[in-house]
Amino acid sequence: LLELDDVYKSYGEEQVLSGVSFEMDAGDVDVVIGPSGSGKSTMLRCVNRLTEIDSGDIYLDGDCVTDADTDVNELRKQVGMVFQDFNLFAHLTALGNVTLGLRKVRGMDKSAAQEKGYEHLEQVGLLDQADSYPAELSGGQKQRVGIARALAMDPKLLLFDEPTSALDPELVGEVVEVMRDLAAEGITMLVVSHEMGFARSAASDIIFLDDGRIVEHGPPEQLFENPEAARTGEFLSRLE
Ligand code: ATP
Ligand code: MG
C-alpha cells in the first residue's frame, strides 16, 4: 500500500533522511522509533507532502505521490494525519471538527456529514462529547477527536506523529486503546511513538530510524528480543 524508495531530504546543510526505503501492506501497523532529531516526523510529513523530498519516490497504492503533477489535495484525502498537539479548531465543537473536512473537502451536506461525524465520535468513545469545545475536553479526549476527524475521511493510510507524547501519563491509555482498536479493525497505520506497549502488541513491524537511516526494520518480537544492530539495543535499553 505504501512504499518509500530511497528517499533523501535535507534542510540546508543538514541531511535529515538518507536513503530511506520500506514498504507497508494494507492493514499493516508500522511503528517508527528513534532518537530526537533522527527524522521521524520529517519522514511522516513526506508521505502526505507536508514536506517535499529531494530525491527518491513514494508510492501510495501504486501511484507515485512525489511526482510533480500529483494533486496534493487529493493525496491528503487519502492519507490522514494525527498530530502530537491535536491541531483542533478551538471555535468548533468536537462534531464540528470532525465534520469540517467532510463538508469542505468531501462536499457532503450538513446532515450527511453529521451522521458520519457521530459515527466516528462513537468509534473513539466520544459520542457524549459531540457538542463540547476543545477547551472543555481533556487532552486524551482532544486527541480522540483528532483521530475521529482523520478517520472520518476514510483514508487509505493514517499517519500518527507521537499522538500521546503531549498527554499527561494517566490519559495515554485511552488514546492507545483507541489506536489498538483501529489496528485490530485492519486500518493501515504508520505511527511514530515510543509507547512500547502499543508497539509490542499492535505493530506488524518496528522501524528504527537513526540519523536519517533505517538501522533496523522487523517484527516487534525480533526487534525487541533480538536486535541485529548494536545501536538498536542501545536505544531500546534507554527507553525501557
Ligand atoms: P523528535 O523525536 O524530536 O520529534 P524527529 O525524529 O521527529 O525528532 P525531525 O523533526 O524529523 O526529527 O527533525 C529531523 C531534523 O531536521 C532535526 O535536526 C530538525 O532540526 C530538522 N528539521 C526538521 N524540520 C525542519 C525545518 N522545517 N527546517 C529546518 N530544519 C528542520
Ligand atoms: Mg518528531
Side-chain angles (χ1 to χ4, degrees):
L1 183 92
L2 177 71
E3 179 183 357
L4 274 69
D5 181 20
D6 209 23
V7 169
Y8 282 79
K9 172 68 187 177
S10 59
Y11 287 111
E13 298 282 274
E14 190 189 358
Q15 195 67 44
V16 177
L17 297 176
S18 304
V20 169
S21 301
F22 68 92
E23 287 179 39
M24 286 177 73
D25 291 330
D28 279 357
V29 176
D30 281 12
V31 173
V32 184
I33 60 174
S36 182
S38 57
K40 305 181 296 297
S41 297
T42 303
M43 184 176 93
L44 230 54
R45 294 167 59 87
C46 289
V47 173
N48 66 357
R49 297 208 23 200
L50 287 170
T51 295
E52 296 294 338
I53 65 176
D54 298 333
S55 67
D57 295 296
I58 300 179
Y59 298 91
L60 180 71
D61 222 0
D63 295 325
C64 184
V65 303
T66 40
D67 270 347
D69 60 0
T70 295
D71 180 342
V72 175
N73 292 321
E74 204 50 49
L75 169 67
R76 292 187 191 147
K77 286 186 203 170
Q78 297 176 30
V79 181
M81 186 147 179
V82 175
F83 300 89
Q84 179 175 0
D85 52 2
F86 326 128
N87 278 12
L88 299 181
F89 289 106
H91 67 287
L92 294 177
T93 61
L95 184 66
N97 271 281
V98 175
T99 54
L100 185 68
L102 294 174
R103 302 200 60 196
K104 300 280 181 216
V105 180
R106 289 255 185 252
M108 287 174 85
D109 68 38
K110 188 171 177 182
S111 69
Q114 288 194 339
E115 193 178 326
K116 190 159 167 56
Y118 284 125
E119 192 184 300
H120 292 289
L121 283 170
E122 185 168 26
Q123 194 176 6
V124 300
L126 282 180
L127 199 50
D128 54 340
Q129 299 289 344
D131 296 326
S132 301
Y133 287 88
E136 301 166 329
L137 299 173
S138 74
Q141 291 173 328
K142 280 187 242 192
Q143 190 55 295
R144 288 190 280 150
V145 174
I147 294 172
R149 175 177 58 182
L151 286 169
M153 302 297 285
D154 297 321
K156 289 179 178 166
L157 169 69
L158 262 185
L159 307 173
F160 291 79
D161 194 359
E162 306 210 31
T164 60
S165 59
L167 301 177
D168 292 335
E170 72 271 22
L171 302 177
V172 169
E174 64 189 64
V175 172
V176 167
E177 200 176 309
V178 166
M179 291 172 64
R180 249 193 216 116
D181 290 345
L182 301 183
E185 283 168 36
I187 292 180
T188 314
M189 306 172 19
L190 181 59
V191 181
V192 175
S193 176
H194 293 146
E195 282 304 318
M196 289 303 133
F198 174 76
R200 277 177 193 276
S201 62
S204 325
D205 273 341
I206 311 284
I207 295 171
F208 174 50
L209 197 64
D210 191 21
D211 199 15
R213 289 183 175 81
I214 294 181
V215 172
E216 194 148 350
H217 177 190
E221 318 79 72
Q222 177 200 314
L223 209 120
F224 290 126
E225 309 311 333
N226 209 352
E228 281 171 18
R231 189 72 193 88
T232 313
E234 253 170 62
F235 177 75
L236 289 172
S237 69
R238 272 187 282 124
L239 271 189
E240 291 177 306

